[in-house]
Amino acid sequence: MICLSIQHRNLGEILGILGRADVEMAEIRLDRCPLSIEEIEELFSGSDTPLVATCRISEVFESLRKENAGLDDRQLQLNAYTTVQERLAAAIKAGAQYADLEIEAPPSVSRRIRRVASECGTLLIRSFHDFSGTPSAEGLKAIVEKCVSFGADVVKIVTTATCEADVARVMSLYGECAPGSLIAFCMGEAGRKSRLDCLREGAPYTYCSLGEGEETASGQWTLTEMNEALYGSFRRETGREPLAMPSSKSFAQRAIIAAALAEGTSCLSGYSPCGDNESALTVARALGAEVKEEGSVLSIKGIGASPGCLSLESLHVGESGFLTRMMIPLMASLGGGSCSITGEKTLLNRPLKGAEEIMMSFGVRLSGNMVPLTITGLLVNGRAEISGKDGSQLISGLLAALPLGEKNSTVYVTDPRSIPYMFITVDVLKKFGISIGSEMEGGDDFLSSGDWSLCSGITFKVKGGQKYKAADFSIEGDWSSAANFLVAGAVFGQCELEGLDTGSLQADLSIMDILTQAGASLSQVGDDHKGLIHIQKAPLSAFDTDANNCPDLFPIIAILAAFCEGESHIAGVGRLASKESDRGKAILSMLSRMGVPAAIDHDILTIRGMSLSRRILSGNLLHGGEYTSNHDHRMVMALKVASLGADSPITIDDTACVSKSFPSFLPLFDKFIGANV
């Protein structure tokens, strides 16, 4: 990325510069810009552009000397330390992405800034500048080690070059440092080219000036020169117009089935159609519910469900794995003791792992572990211990069915996966008058952090004899769909999304945490957790995440990892085998074809990525060509995002399958990129 160094500007002028389309990142020279502490706080808290806060001690010292001629140098030095500390701390607390502190800073200042940066999640740059020459190779290595030992997240080494040998010594440091952890280049005319070459070596960003005469150091490129040298003909324009996300099918499908079971008429607003949602409406009608669609509003008159109230011989669930598992326990409760579940397309090849064993715990037999299958027997309420290792969907079905039985039930789930989806079910059922108690357990790490991935077991307590009651329910926007646009914005430009709830129970809200860990610049407009989401391109680094609870994110975060400098690790591959495709194999095949080093070891996918800048300069853009989606809607969306960073067009054999979850994705994506790719 290109970081514009801004100096000698007031607050209004800086904000105007940051609003320019060609500025993707900026360094604010707090030692040279006439900003009060209040203005610093306003600037760094109000900007979506990734900002670096820099305040050089020597510059502040000279400024104070001019203003306070009567003070001795010792007092001026102490005042300079205080000023630097106050300005950097204010910027960090307000939201600076990076803070640059010289390695010469005294220990007291260093400790304070390190502590504040750590508390606020700001990356700390410890920098060394030599304006007279370039130290020896051994001297440079020692400086790097000193910066690291003094708390550097990123080491910055800038020297003055008089010959190619000076540049070579500085650039050789990249072989000694982890990807993305070093910014090293040379000043002076001899070092000018190194300001661009550092990106090819893995620097997270480089510096440039606003124009001629605006340089902060000798040999600095202008913004126009650097943009042309880096991006050249590579142009991926992303739209600034907010994009409305479709309704969450996780919420929609559950709400449709609950409304179908309820007494009275429910009104579900915010609905958007997709293959799986339409299958849920088909199921609701098959149960006997009356469904009316008016734009984005569904009106569903339910059947007032009770055990044994139906005598359906078969039920068609379309291509929805969730509906299959949701309806197995429900039909075992509502039906007359025997019912067949039928489906279509990829569903016919997806095994229902663990379903037979779980249903036997409640007195129900299944004819096999794949659709079509036959359910035999009536659901028996009671106590059971079941495994959650194969997912949450059948458990959601049990939670929906057991309240209808006469007796109370206790379900203890061991090794739970996709935990958020279970609680989405509990949340939706609550809106329709069904009460379910729950208790999660785990070790000390879980108790202290609340991280669902550390939960070792869940007990659900279900009171029998309950009835579904009609409800008016607004369906929230879908984070699974949003993840694709958020990743595209983080890597290639920017993006604004509306219709999302950051207080959601949806598992794929985890994309916000993953992007933040990778270094993306995220913000939300207003204090309401339903405000506009904005994401801005920023230097991205490798991340580690556990996707066991959000397996639908795997394809798109694999593409994210391909553009993150370093080696990323994504746990939860075992959850992918029974999706619309064997997603683990499909993702690995996709990455291999694109030229991205990747491997699966047991349950972990490892991806070695490069920043977009490094890919462009080193000729390592993703390989274009013909790709298969494996008839998997989420693979289609990931491939379309990947196409923005490919060296030639990517063509996909089957894009129609995207209608399963997001029928409007392709035209919306074309709108997002301006149809320029």
Side-chain angles (χ1 to χ4, degrees), residues 348-392:
L348 303 180
N349 300 315
R350 295 165 62 182
L352 303 172
K353 292 183 178 179
E356 290 182 273
E357 181 180 355
I358 290 175
M359 293 310 299
M360 280 295 292
S361 300
F362 295 91
V364 178
R365 296 190 305 276
L366 303 181
S367 63
N369 69 342
M370 295 181 72
V371 173
L373 58 78
T374 300
I375 305 163
T376 305
L378 298 175
L379 190 73
V380 178
N381 286 41
R383 301 177 61 90
E385 178 177 317
I386 61 176
S387 173
K389 67 178 181 179
D390 294 315
S392 65

Side-chain angles (χ1 to χ4, degrees), residues 517-530:
Q517 184 186 349
S521 177
L522 279 160
S523 63
Q524 187 170 31
V525 177
D527 297 328
D528 185 356
H529 53 76
K530 295 183 180 180

Side-chain angles (χ1 to χ4, degrees), residues 118-434:
S118 176
E119 291 172 352
C120 298
T122 298
L123 295 174
L124 181 60
I125 301 170
R126 299 309 303 264
S127 58
F128 168 83
H129 303 81
D130 189 332
F131 294 95
S132 61
T134 299
S136 66
E138 292 74 16
L140 288 169
K141 290 179 182 178
I143 294 167
V144 170
E145 291 174 359
K146 182 178 180 182
C147 289
V148 172
S149 67
F150 280 22
D153 295 304
V154 177
V155 175
K156 180 184 175 187
I157 305 292
V158 182
T159 71
T160 301
T162 58
C163 61
E164 291 184 5
D166 289 343
V167 176
R169 289 201 303 280
V170 171
M171 301 305 281
S172 69
L173 294 173
Y174 285 100
E176 307 289 330
C177 298
S181 67
L182 176 68
I183 303 171
F185 57 84
C186 294
M187 296 179 286
E189 193 58 35
R192 180 177 168 82
K193 187 171 179 291
S194 69
R195 291 177 175 271
L196 178 65
D197 288 343
C198 67
L199 295 177
R200 183 183 288 109
E201 297 297 326
Y205 63 85
T206 191
Y207 296 85
C208 69
S209 68
L210 194 58
E212 295 288 346
E214 296 274 0
E215 298 87 352
T216 57
S218 62
Q220 195 172 60
W221 300 45
T222 67
L223 176 61
T224 300
E225 291 172 334
M226 190 62 78
N227 266 320
E228 183 59 33
L230 173 56
Y231 295 115
S233 61
F234 183 90
R235 288 290 182 265
R236 298 293 187 265
E237 300 299 329
T238 55
R240 292 172 176 250
E241 183 179 342
L243 304 176
M245 290 295 98
S247 61
S248 163
K249 74 184 180 78
S250 295
F251 273 90
Q253 288 182 288
R254 288 164 170 82
I256 288 167
I257 299 304
L261 300 176
E263 297 174 340
T265 300
S266 299
C267 180
L268 309 181
S269 59
Y271 174 79
S272 54
C274 68
D276 282 354
N277 286 352
E278 295 297 295
S279 292
L281 292 178
T282 298
V283 168
R285 292 186 175 102
L287 296 179
E290 297 178 13
V291 179
K292 295 181 181 179
E293 298 182 57
E294 295 184 8
S296 62
V297 178
L298 296 175
S299 176
I300 302 177
K301 183 179 180 181
I303 63 172
S306 61
C309 67
L310 298 176
S311 58
L312 289 176
E313 293 183 359
S314 67
L315 185 69
H316 190 74
V317 295
E319 197 185 4
S320 174
F322 169 74
L323 284 175
T324 304
R325 294 171 177 85
M326 180 79 165
M327 297 312 298
I328 287 173
L330 277 169
M331 294 312 299
S333 172
L334 303 176
S338 179
C339 180
S340 295
I341 301 289
T342 62
E344 61 191 46
K345 300 179 182 178
T346 62
L347 182 62
L348 303 180
N349 300 315
R350 295 165 62 182
L352 303 172
K353 292 183 178 179
E356 290 182 273
E357 181 180 355
I358 290 175
M359 293 310 299
M360 280 295 292
S361 300
F362 295 91
V364 178
R365 296 190 305 276
L366 303 181
S367 63
N369 69 342
M370 295 181 72
V371 173
L373 58 78
T374 300
I375 305 163
T376 305
L378 298 175
L379 190 73
V380 178
N381 286 41
R383 301 177 61 90
E385 178 177 317
I386 61 176
S387 173
K389 67 178 181 179
D390 294 315
S392 65
Q393 294 177 345
L394 194 66
I395 297 168
S396 287
L398 287 168
L399 295 177
L402 289 172
L404 296 171
E406 292 183 3
K407 297 181 179 180
N408 298 342
S409 297
T410 300
V411 181
Y412 178 62
V413 182
T414 62
D415 195 14
R417 308 293 176 90
S418 296
I419 296 172
Y421 292 102
M422 301 182 204
F423 285 95
I424 287 177
T425 301
V426 172
D427 183 63
V428 171
L429 297 185
K430 182 179 179 181
K431 297 179 188 301
F432 289 87
I434 300 298

Side-chain angles (χ1 to χ4, degrees), residues 506-675:
Q506 291 180 57
D508 290 347
L509 175 62
S510 297
I511 189 62
M512 297 280 278
D513 294 329
I514 294 168
L515 284 164
T516 299
Q517 184 186 349
S521 177
L522 279 160
S523 63
Q524 187 170 31
V525 177
D527 297 328
D528 185 356
H529 53 76
K530 295 183 180 180
L532 198 72
I533 304 292
H534 180 92
I535 190 163
Q536 184 89 15
K537 182 180 177 184
L540 300 176
S541 56
F543 59 89
D544 292 344
T545 192
D546 186 338
N548 268 294
N549 288 315
C550 50
D552 286 344
L553 288 181
F554 250 94
I556 192 57
I557 60 176
I559 297 302
L560 171 66
F563 289 96
C564 290
E565 195 68 44
E567 192 171 275
S568 297
H569 305 93
I570 309 170
V573 176
R575 297 295 320 285
L576 304 180
S578 299
K579 294 296 182 179
E580 284 78 358
S581 63
D582 185 338
R583 277 193 194 146
K585 291 182 179 179
I587 291 169
L588 195 61
S589 175
M590 173 185 69
L591 294 173
S592 175
R593 182 164 172 72
M594 289 176 173
V596 179
I600 293 176
D601 184 11
H602 298 293
D603 196 44
I604 296 177
L605 173 63
T606 298
I607 300 171
R608 191 175 306 124
M610 285 186 191
S611 69
L612 177 61
S613 298
R614 192 177 186 187
R615 288 193 178 281
I616 294 170
L617 292 173
S618 62
N620 277 301
L621 289 171
L622 307 185
H623 302 327
E626 297 180 358
Y627 285 79
T628 178
S629 66
N630 292 282
H631 311 295
D632 186 334
H633 54 133
R634 305 216 183 272
M635 293 298 294
V636 172
M637 290 183 264
L639 281 164
K640 292 298 288 185
V641 174
S643 71
L644 298 177
D647 56 13
S648 62
I650 284 178
T651 59
I652 308 169
D653 60 351
D654 172 21
T655 59
C657 61
V658 79
S659 64
K660 186 176 192 296
S661 63
F662 197 171
S664 61
F665 171 77
L666 294 173
L668 195 63
F669 188 77
D670 285 343
K671 176 183 177 182
F672 169 65
I673 63 174

